Amino acid sequence: MTECDEFSFETRLLHNQHKIDPTTGAVSVPIQHASTYHQFSIDQFGKYDYSRSLNPTREALEDVIAELEGGIKGFAFSSGMAAISTAFLLLSSGDHVVITEDVYGGTYRMVTEVLSRFGIEHTFVDMTNIDQVKKAIKQNTKAFYIETPSNPLLKVTDIKEICNLAKKVKALTFVDNTFLTPALQRPLELGADVVLHSATKFLSGHSDVIAGLAVVKDEKLAKKLGFLQNSFGAILGVQDAWLVLRGIKTLHVRLEQSQNSAIKLAAFLQTHPLVKRVYYPALVNHPQNYLQKAQAEGPGAVLSFELESEEAVRLFVKNVKLPVFAVSLGAVESILSYPAKMSHAAMPQAEREKRGITNTLLRLSVGLESPDDLIKDFSTALTHILTNQLVFQQGE
Ligand SMILES: *Cc1c(COP(=O)(O)O)cnc(C)c1O
């Protein structure tokens, strides 16, 4: 904990223990490229010896994220998947994980195709259904894996409820906090043991770096995860650590602007006759609207929506001008993606459809464009669907 604890989150994004470099007064964390460090005495080695184990630039990022998540130790990895995969190495052969069914596609692949080969079992559940979660518990259940709001259907899991359940069976709770970041949700305060991030998304925020983070609040767990980070070695490079540190400084303003625009866009889409359904926790008809309000400080800036047909999706994507059509989310520019063929391509079609990730679903991560411009752009693209349908009907 630092002297800045008394300040609000947005102030703490800028004023933390790494605000000023103690040797030079530099107001930006220096990028330390050295892989190894001279030891001045044969009897006593310094704090740094080799940069896989500890590097001052990476350490600054690890300190910053730990403080923002309310943990005691942070770890920076070369990608979100590296952070998630390393955290899974806390488990051993014979252990069982209860995991949310609409988990990120890469995590799905890791659990089903890699961990399974090492004897780590899993059961997918709808985490919003506590009875289903309870039924999935086995004698060897050692971890619960939550993603909330989930990807891409924005289902909200009661973090506290799952953590309490996990504690009863002496299992750990992992929470992927990529969608909300500590600006809006702090799972450790709700009882979670490990918070995970794809820092590629909102934390860095500019679609220019791949990075992952993990934070814990328990000393023993910190030792274990630190040992695994050093053993597996999937650490974040120093240039990338610096980019994430810089991105974090503007996290609050970016997320606030994007979230406000997302609220407007969701309202627009929900009343549009060509939009079948909108998934966004801020909507009063979202099944966990109340829960999102209780456990997070906002609904976030990602929403999904369904159109009537695959043809409509095709026409919409072809005609929409502002968002980039791409995988990923949480950037300054709006990103429109097609989960069936992008984030969830690793999931077999039958599994996808069972989870409601249909071929008519689009996901939108709202960026920093003017919300009015985005609405205008979407409105025009939706009109193209209508015009096309009319032309088609006349042609018949
Ligand atoms: C992108 C993402 C990941 C994976 O992170 P990478 O940085 O791409 O490895 C994990 N979880 C969620 C929710 C994501 O959006």
Side-chain angles (χ1 to χ4, degrees), residues 78-82 84 104 107 145 147 151 176 178-179 197-201 210-212 328-329 363:
S78 53
S79 68
M81 281 320 304
I84 292 165
Y104 176 73
T107 310
Y145 193 98
E147 214 179 291
N151 180 20
D176 182 332
T178 300
F179 270 42
H197 281 285
S198 169
T200 311
K201 317 293 168 56
I210 299 280
S328 199
L329 57 104
R363 189 189 72 195

PDB file of all heavy atoms in Angstrom, residues 78-82 84 104 107 145 147 151 176 178-179 197-201 210-212 328-329 363, ligand 1:
ATOM      1  N   SER A  78       3.619 -12.217 -21.313  1.00  0.00           N
ATOM      2  CA  SER A  78       3.736 -11.831 -22.720  1.00  0.00           C
ATOM      3  C   SER A  78       2.395 -11.764 -23.450  1.00  0.00           C
ATOM      4  O   SER A  78       2.326 -11.263 -24.564  1.00  0.00           O
ATOM      5  CB  SER A  78       4.669 -12.807 -23.431  1.00  0.00           C
ATOM      6  OG  SER A  78       4.218 -14.123 -23.188  1.00  0.00           O
ATOM      7  N   SER A  79       1.317 -12.276 -22.846  1.00  0.00           N
ATOM      8  CA  SER A  79      -0.026 -12.173 -23.430  1.00  0.00           C
ATOM      9  C   SER A  79      -1.037 -12.510 -22.338  1.00  0.00           C
ATOM     10  O   SER A  79      -0.660 -13.048 -21.287  1.00  0.00           O
ATOM     11  CB  SER A  79      -0.197 -13.144 -24.607  1.00  0.00           C
ATOM     12  OG  SER A  79      -0.198 -14.484 -24.148  1.00  0.00           O
ATOM     13  N   GLY A  80      -2.287 -12.208 -22.611  1.00  0.00           N
ATOM     14  CA  GLY A  80      -3.337 -12.617 -21.681  1.00  0.00           C
ATOM     15  C   GLY A  80      -3.343 -14.132 -21.528  1.00  0.00           C
ATOM     16  O   GLY A  80      -3.465 -14.654 -20.415  1.00  0.00           O
ATOM     17  N   MET A  81      -3.176 -14.839 -22.649  1.00  0.00           N
ATOM     18  CA  MET A  81      -3.167 -16.302 -22.585  1.00  0.00           C
ATOM     19  C   MET A  81      -1.972 -16.825 -21.783  1.00  0.00           C
ATOM     20  O   MET A  81      -2.085 -17.856 -21.116  1.00  0.00           O
ATOM     21  CB  MET A  81      -3.184 -16.919 -24.005  1.00  0.00           C
ATOM     22  CG  MET A  81      -4.554 -16.936 -24.676  1.00  0.00           C
ATOM     23  SD  MET A  81      -5.970 -17.356 -23.619  1.00  0.00           S
ATOM     24  CE  MET A  81      -5.508 -18.950 -22.951  1.00  0.00           C
ATOM     25  N   ALA A  82      -0.840 -16.132 -21.845  1.00  0.00           N
ATOM     26  CA  ALA A  82       0.325 -16.551 -21.042  1.00  0.00           C
ATOM     27  C   ALA A  82       0.011 -16.394 -19.554  1.00  0.00           C
ATOM     28  O   ALA A  82       0.370 -17.252 -18.733  1.00  0.00           O
ATOM     29  CB  ALA A  82       1.555 -15.743 -21.421  1.00  0.00           C
ATOM     30  N   ILE A  84      -3.067 -16.429 -18.190  1.00  0.00           N
ATOM     31  CA  ILE A  84      -4.097 -17.422 -17.861  1.00  0.00           C
ATOM     32  C   ILE A  84      -3.483 -18.825 -17.767  1.00  0.00           C
ATOM     33  O   ILE A  84      -3.724 -19.575 -16.818  1.00  0.00           O
ATOM     34  CB  ILE A  84      -5.232 -17.363 -18.917  1.00  0.00           C
ATOM     35  CG1 ILE A  84      -5.996 -16.028 -18.787  1.00  0.00           C
ATOM     36  CG2 ILE A  84      -6.178 -18.563 -18.801  1.00  0.00           C
ATOM     37  CD1 ILE A  84      -6.883 -15.675 -19.971  1.00  0.00           C
ATOM     38  N   TYR A 104     -13.671 -17.040 -22.845  1.00  0.00           N
ATOM     39  CA  TYR A 104     -12.875 -16.595 -24.003  1.00  0.00           C
ATOM     40  C   TYR A 104     -12.381 -17.825 -24.800  1.00  0.00           C
ATOM     41  O   TYR A 104     -11.940 -18.822 -24.210  1.00  0.00           O
ATOM     42  CB  TYR A 104     -11.683 -15.771 -23.491  1.00  0.00           C
ATOM     43  CG  TYR A 104     -10.741 -15.351 -24.566  1.00  0.00           C
ATOM     44  CD1 TYR A 104     -11.081 -14.347 -25.459  1.00  0.00           C
ATOM     45  CD2 TYR A 104      -9.501 -15.962 -24.716  1.00  0.00           C
ATOM     46  CE1 TYR A 104     -10.217 -13.957 -26.470  1.00  0.00           C
ATOM     47  CE2 TYR A 104      -8.625 -15.583 -25.719  1.00  0.00           C
ATOM     48  CZ  TYR A 104      -8.990 -14.582 -26.596  1.00  0.00           C
ATOM     49  OH  TYR A 104      -8.134 -14.208 -27.594  1.00  0.00           O
ATOM     50  N   THR A 107      -9.068 -19.444 -23.918  1.00  0.00           N
ATOM     51  CA  THR A 107      -9.093 -20.151 -22.626  1.00  0.00           C
ATOM     52  C   THR A 107      -9.797 -21.500 -22.806  1.00  0.00           C
ATOM     53  O   THR A 107      -9.370 -22.516 -22.252  1.00  0.00           O
ATOM     54  CB  THR A 107      -9.813 -19.292 -21.564  1.00  0.00           C
ATOM     55  OG1 THR A 107      -9.241 -17.984 -21.589  1.00  0.00           O
ATOM     56  CG2 THR A 107      -9.675 -19.882 -20.176  1.00  0.00           C
ATOM     57  N   TYR A 145     -13.427 -20.895 -12.399  1.00  0.00           N
ATOM     58  CA  TYR A 145     -12.930 -19.910 -13.357  1.00  0.00           C
ATOM     59  C   TYR A 145     -14.089 -19.063 -13.876  1.00  0.00           C
ATOM     60  O   TYR A 145     -14.993 -19.561 -14.540  1.00  0.00           O
ATOM     61  CB  TYR A 145     -12.211 -20.608 -14.513  1.00  0.00           C
ATOM     62  CG  TYR A 145     -11.421 -19.660 -15.370  1.00  0.00           C
ATOM     63  CD1 TYR A 145     -10.054 -19.486 -15.191  1.00  0.00           C
ATOM     64  CD2 TYR A 145     -12.054 -18.910 -16.369  1.00  0.00           C
ATOM     65  CE1 TYR A 145      -9.328 -18.598 -15.970  1.00  0.00           C
ATOM     66  CE2 TYR A 145     -11.335 -18.013 -17.148  1.00  0.00           C
ATOM     67  CZ  TYR A 145      -9.978 -17.873 -16.943  1.00  0.00           C
ATOM     68  OH  TYR A 145      -9.265 -16.989 -17.722  1.00  0.00           O
ATOM     69  N   GLU A 147     -15.564 -15.483 -15.831  1.00  0.00           N
ATOM     70  CA  GLU A 147     -15.347 -14.335 -16.705  1.00  0.00           C
ATOM     71  C   GLU A 147     -16.629 -13.517 -16.635  1.00  0.00           C
ATOM     72  O   GLU A 147     -17.689 -14.018 -17.018  1.00  0.00           O
ATOM     73  CB  GLU A 147     -15.139 -14.857 -18.130  1.00  0.00           C
ATOM     74  CG  GLU A 147     -14.179 -14.052 -18.957  1.00  0.00           C
ATOM     75  CD  GLU A 147     -14.016 -14.652 -20.338  1.00  0.00           C
ATOM     76  OE1 GLU A 147     -13.430 -15.748 -20.451  1.00  0.00           O
ATOM     77  OE2 GLU A 147     -14.486 -14.038 -21.297  1.00  0.00           O
ATOM     78  N   ASN A 151     -17.972 -13.266 -22.396  1.00  0.00           N
ATOM     79  CA  ASN A 151     -17.653 -12.951 -23.775  1.00  0.00           C
ATOM     80  C   ASN A 151     -18.240 -14.018 -24.692  1.00  0.00           C
ATOM     81  O   ASN A 151     -17.877 -15.165 -24.544  1.00  0.00           O
ATOM     82  CB  ASN A 151     -16.121 -12.929 -23.877  1.00  0.00           C
ATOM     83  CG  ASN A 151     -15.614 -12.603 -25.252  1.00  0.00           C
ATOM     84  OD1 ASN A 151     -16.317 -12.043 -26.071  1.00  0.00           O
ATOM     85  ND2 ASN A 151     -14.392 -12.981 -25.510  1.00  0.00           N
ATOM     86  N   ASP A 176     -11.273 -13.570 -14.741  1.00  0.00           N
ATOM     87  CA  ASP A 176     -10.757 -12.822 -15.884  1.00  0.00           C
ATOM     88  C   ASP A 176     -11.464 -11.467 -15.877  1.00  0.00           C
ATOM     89  O   ASP A 176     -12.659 -11.386 -16.123  1.00  0.00           O
ATOM     90  CB  ASP A 176     -11.037 -13.611 -17.175  1.00  0.00           C
ATOM     91  CG  ASP A 176     -10.485 -12.928 -18.423  1.00  0.00           C
ATOM     92  OD1 ASP A 176     -10.367 -11.686 -18.417  1.00  0.00           O
ATOM     93  OD2 ASP A 176     -10.194 -13.642 -19.402  1.00  0.00           O
ATOM     94  N   THR A 178     -10.750  -8.773 -17.730  1.00  0.00           N
ATOM     95  CA  THR A 178     -10.387  -8.010 -18.937  1.00  0.00           C
ATOM     96  C   THR A 178     -11.449  -6.995 -19.350  1.00  0.00           C
ATOM     97  O   THR A 178     -11.132  -5.870 -19.713  1.00  0.00           O
ATOM     98  CB  THR A 178     -10.151  -8.994 -20.109  1.00  0.00           C
ATOM     99  OG1 THR A 178      -9.090  -9.874 -19.757  1.00  0.00           O
ATOM    100  CG2 THR A 178      -9.800  -8.275 -21.395  1.00  0.00           C
ATOM    101  N   PHE A 179     -12.721  -7.407 -19.308  1.00  0.00           N
ATOM    102  CA  PHE A 179     -13.789  -6.551 -19.844  1.00  0.00           C
ATOM    103  C   PHE A 179     -14.018  -5.284 -19.014  1.00  0.00           C
ATOM    104  O   PHE A 179     -14.390  -4.267 -19.564  1.00  0.00           O
ATOM    105  CB  PHE A 179     -15.107  -7.343 -19.945  1.00  0.00           C
ATOM    106  CG  PHE A 179     -15.291  -8.040 -21.262  1.00  0.00           C
ATOM    107  CD1 PHE A 179     -14.229  -8.690 -21.871  1.00  0.00           C
ATOM    108  CD2 PHE A 179     -16.521  -8.038 -21.903  1.00  0.00           C
ATOM    109  CE1 PHE A 179     -14.380  -9.333 -23.097  1.00  0.00           C
ATOM    110  CE2 PHE A 179     -16.684  -8.677 -23.126  1.00  0.00           C
ATOM    111  CZ  PHE A 179     -15.626  -9.322 -23.726  1.00  0.00           C
ATOM    112  N   HIS A 197      -5.837 -10.719 -16.571  1.00  0.00           N
ATOM    113  CA  HIS A 197      -6.142  -9.707 -17.579  1.00  0.00           C
ATOM    114  C   HIS A 197      -5.488 -10.030 -18.896  1.00  0.00           C
ATOM    115  O   HIS A 197      -4.328 -10.418 -18.924  1.00  0.00           O
ATOM    116  CB  HIS A 197      -5.567  -8.346 -17.170  1.00  0.00           C
ATOM    117  CG  HIS A 197      -6.365  -7.625 -16.160  1.00  0.00           C
ATOM    118  ND1 HIS A 197      -7.540  -7.005 -16.474  1.00  0.00           N
ATOM    119  CD2 HIS A 197      -6.157  -7.428 -14.841  1.00  0.00           C
ATOM    120  CE1 HIS A 197      -8.028  -6.438 -15.382  1.00  0.00           C
ATOM    121  NE2 HIS A 197      -7.214  -6.689 -14.375  1.00  0.00           N
ATOM    122  N   SER A 198      -6.211  -9.757 -19.961  1.00  0.00           N
ATOM    123  CA  SER A 198      -5.553  -9.507 -21.216  1.00  0.00           C
ATOM    124  C   SER A 198      -5.345  -7.999 -21.211  1.00  0.00           C
ATOM    125  O   SER A 198      -6.288  -7.236 -21.449  1.00  0.00           O
ATOM    126  CB  SER A 198      -6.421  -9.932 -22.396  1.00  0.00           C
ATOM    127  OG  SER A 198      -5.822  -9.434 -23.570  1.00  0.00           O
ATOM    128  N   ALA A 199      -4.114  -7.564 -20.927  1.00  0.00           N
ATOM    129  CA  ALA A 199      -3.811  -6.127 -20.900  1.00  0.00           C
ATOM    130  C   ALA A 199      -3.733  -5.564 -22.312  1.00  0.00           C
ATOM    131  O   ALA A 199      -3.586  -4.358 -22.512  1.00  0.00           O
ATOM    132  CB  ALA A 199      -2.506  -5.873 -20.155  1.00  0.00           C
ATOM    133  N   THR A 200      -3.843  -6.468 -23.282  1.00  0.00           N
ATOM    134  CA  THR A 200      -3.952  -6.100 -24.698  1.00  0.00           C
ATOM    135  C   THR A 200      -5.161  -5.195 -24.933  1.00  0.00           C
ATOM    136  O   THR A 200      -5.186  -4.425 -25.883  1.00  0.00           O
ATOM    137  CB  THR A 200      -4.158  -7.398 -25.523  1.00  0.00           C
ATOM    138  OG1 THR A 200      -3.182  -8.360 -25.115  1.00  0.00           O
ATOM    139  CG2 THR A 200      -4.061  -7.165 -27.005  1.00  0.00           C
ATOM    140  N   LYS A 201      -6.157  -5.316 -24.081  1.00  0.00           N
ATOM    141  CA  LYS A 201      -7.448  -4.666 -24.310  1.00  0.00           C
ATOM    142  C   LYS A 201      -7.509  -3.300 -23.605  1.00  0.00           C
ATOM    143  O   LYS A 201      -6.695  -2.464 -23.879  1.00  0.00           O
ATOM    144  CB  LYS A 201      -8.562  -5.619 -23.854  1.00  0.00           C
ATOM    145  CG  LYS A 201      -8.346  -7.085 -24.286  1.00  0.00           C
ATOM    146  CD  LYS A 201      -8.431  -7.306 -25.782  1.00  0.00           C
ATOM    147  CE  LYS A 201      -7.937  -8.685 -26.225  1.00  0.00           C
ATOM    148  NZ  LYS A 201      -8.590  -9.827 -25.594  1.00  0.00           N
ATOM    149  N   ILE A 210       0.502  -6.659 -27.106  1.00  0.00           N
ATOM    150  CA  ILE A 210      -0.094  -7.885 -26.564  1.00  0.00           C
ATOM    151  C   ILE A 210       0.530  -8.088 -25.183  1.00  0.00           C
ATOM    152  O   ILE A 210       1.761  -8.122 -25.056  1.00  0.00           O
ATOM    153  CB  ILE A 210       0.236  -9.114 -27.454  1.00  0.00           C
ATOM    154  CG1 ILE A 210      -0.303  -8.955 -28.880  1.00  0.00           C
ATOM    155  CG2 ILE A 210      -0.257 -10.409 -26.810  1.00  0.00           C
ATOM    156  CD1 ILE A 210      -1.759  -9.257 -29.073  1.00  0.00           C
ATOM    157  N   ALA A 211      -0.312  -8.190 -24.161  1.00  0.00           N
ATOM    158  CA  ALA A 211       0.212  -8.326 -22.803  1.00  0.00           C
ATOM    159  C   ALA A 211      -0.812  -8.963 -21.880  1.00  0.00           C
ATOM    160  O   ALA A 211      -2.021  -8.879 -22.127  1.00  0.00           O
ATOM    161  CB  ALA A 211       0.602  -6.951 -22.252  1.00  0.00           C
ATOM    162  N   GLY A 212      -0.328  -9.605 -20.821  1.00  0.00           N
ATOM    163  CA  GLY A 212      -1.215 -10.224 -19.845  1.00  0.00           C
ATOM    164  C   GLY A 212      -0.771  -9.903 -18.431  1.00  0.00           C
ATOM    165  O   GLY A 212       0.413  -9.621 -18.187  1.00  0.00           O
ATOM    166  N   SER A 328     -10.384  -8.665 -31.055  1.00  0.00           N
ATOM    167  CA  SER A 328      -9.926  -7.791 -29.974  1.00  0.00           C
ATOM    168  C   SER A 328     -10.975  -6.746 -29.590  1.00  0.00           C
ATOM    169  O   SER A 328     -12.041  -6.646 -30.210  1.00  0.00           O
ATOM    170  CB  SER A 328      -8.603  -7.102 -30.326  1.00  0.00           C
ATOM    171  OG  SER A 328      -7.989  -6.652 -29.134  1.00  0.00           O
ATOM    172  N   LEU A 329     -10.666  -6.003 -28.542  1.00  0.00           N
ATOM    173  CA  LEU A 329     -11.606  -5.054 -27.951  1.00  0.00           C
ATOM    174  C   LEU A 329     -10.819  -4.101 -27.058  1.00  0.00           C
ATOM    175  O   LEU A 329      -9.604  -4.245 -26.895  1.00  0.00           O
ATOM    176  CB  LEU A 329     -12.660  -5.818 -27.131  1.00  0.00           C
ATOM    177  CG  LEU A 329     -12.130  -6.733 -26.010  1.00  0.00           C
ATOM    178  CD1 LEU A 329     -12.319  -6.109 -24.643  1.00  0.00           C
ATOM    179  CD2 LEU A 329     -12.800  -8.081 -26.038  1.00  0.00           C
ATOM    180  N   ARG A 363     -20.303  -8.489 -31.997  1.00  0.00           N
ATOM    181  CA  ARG A 363     -19.870  -7.870 -30.744  1.00  0.00           C
ATOM    182  C   ARG A 363     -19.238  -6.520 -31.061  1.00  0.00           C
ATOM    183  O   ARG A 363     -18.501  -6.403 -32.040  1.00  0.00           O
ATOM    184  CB  ARG A 363     -18.855  -8.773 -30.046  1.00  0.00           C
ATOM    185  CG  ARG A 363     -18.514  -8.304 -28.618  1.00  0.00           C
ATOM    186  CD  ARG A 363     -17.362  -9.095 -28.049  1.00  0.00           C
ATOM    187  NE  ARG A 363     -16.106  -8.717 -28.683  1.00  0.00           N
ATOM    188  CZ  ARG A 363     -14.989  -9.420 -28.595  1.00  0.00           C
ATOM    189  NH1 ARG A 363     -14.964 -10.551 -27.930  1.00  0.00           N
ATOM    190  NH2 ARG A 363     -13.880  -9.000 -29.188  1.00  0.00           N
TER     191      ARG A 363
HETATM  192  C1  LIG B   1      -8.224 -11.204 -25.424  1.00  0.00           C
HETATM  193  C2  LIG B   1      -8.691 -11.928 -24.226  1.00  0.00           C
HETATM  194  C3  LIG B   1      -7.903 -12.920 -23.625  1.00  0.00           C
HETATM  195  C4  LIG B   1      -6.573 -13.341 -24.212  1.00  0.00           C
HETATM  196  O1  LIG B   1      -5.612 -12.335 -24.147  1.00  0.00           O
HETATM  197  P1  LIG B   1      -4.389 -12.182 -25.172  1.00  0.00           P
HETATM  198  O2  LIG B   1      -3.718 -10.953 -24.710  1.00  0.00           O
HETATM  199  O3  LIG B   1      -4.976 -12.066 -26.545  1.00  0.00           O
HETATM  200  O4  LIG B   1      -3.566 -13.409 -25.052  1.00  0.00           O
HETATM  201  C5  LIG B   1      -8.372 -13.509 -22.486  1.00  0.00           C
HETATM  202  N1  LIG B   1      -9.577 -13.183 -21.947  1.00  0.00           N
HETATM  203  C6  LIG B   1     -10.363 -12.251 -22.509  1.00  0.00           C
HETATM  204  C7  LIG B   1     -11.666 -11.942 -21.893  1.00  0.00           C
HETATM  205  C8  LIG B   1      -9.959 -11.597 -23.665  1.00  0.00           C
HETATM  206  O5  LIG B   1     -10.748 -10.690 -24.216  1.00  0.00           O
END
